[in-house]
Amino acid sequence: MPAANKTTLHSGGCLCGAVRFSVSGDPTGGNHCHCGMCRKDSGSGVSTFVTFPTATLKWDGKPAEFESSPNRFRGFCPTCGSSLTWRHGDHPDFLDFRLGSFDDPTPFKAKKHLWVSTALPSFAGIDPDIEHIDQSS
């Protein structure tokens, strides 16, 4: 009998538990963003995201969204305010999840740094072995 094709399930959510999500399979991307908006949104020196196709996404609770710049939306828990997602309105098939929102973030690895010209040198930790992009796409 052939072995079953097992798809990995990744779960996560906000600090209070009011918004939970699960995605399956492998991420299509991962990045460290050094832009000022991500720093403000995360309260950190750099923000790390993992991208998954929305076709694999299941929500339990729904995040609220804020349009931080034209056609760019940041999702957060309406109860506790935890930052959860980022999405580009022109690309509805993909959603970026904050690395820290996953129950187990250890399987993921960043593939690039975005907005490196605005990186804070003392917090950047820029990996010279992955792609560096001065802006996001």
Side-chain angles (χ1 to χ4, degrees):
M1 180 177 283
N5 184 5
K6 191 168 185 166
T7 302
T8 304
L9 184 67
H10 305 282
S11 299
C14 66
L15 183 61
C16 74
V19 178
R20 298 282 304 158
F21 65 85
S22 64
V23 289
S24 58
D26 294 325
T28 59
N31 66 70
H32 300 296
C33 186
H34 298 275
C35 81
M37 279 195 275
C38 281
R39 287 198 304 264
K40 289 273 188 191
D41 184 35
S42 69
S44 183
V46 62
S47 292
T48 303
F49 294 95
V50 181
T51 307
F52 278 90
T54 55
T56 72
L57 172 62
K58 293 191 182 351
W59 288 109
D60 182 9
K62 188 75 173 165
E65 285 192 321
F66 171 68
E67 189 172 6
S68 57
S69 55
N71 213 21
R72 274 49 167 204
F73 301 88
R74 294 171 186 275
F76 60 94
C77 173
T79 302
C80 69
S82 295
S83 180
L84 298 168
T85 62
W86 182 93
R87 72 178 177 89
H88 191 300
D90 291 340
H91 304 285
D93 295 336
F94 297 95
L95 187 61
D96 291 353
F97 293 87
R98 292 231 178 245
L99 177 67
S101 68
F102 285 92
D103 296 336
D104 179 11
T106 60
F108 309 120
K109 181 172 180 9
K111 297 181 177 165
K112 59 187 167 182
H113 287 271
L114 304 176
W115 293 97
V116 293
S117 66
T118 62
L120 300 173
S122 58
F123 286 91
I126 294 178
D127 181 347
D129 296 328
I130 63 176
E131 185 177 6
H132 300 144
I133 300 170
D134 191 39
Q135 297 181 13
S136 65
S137 49

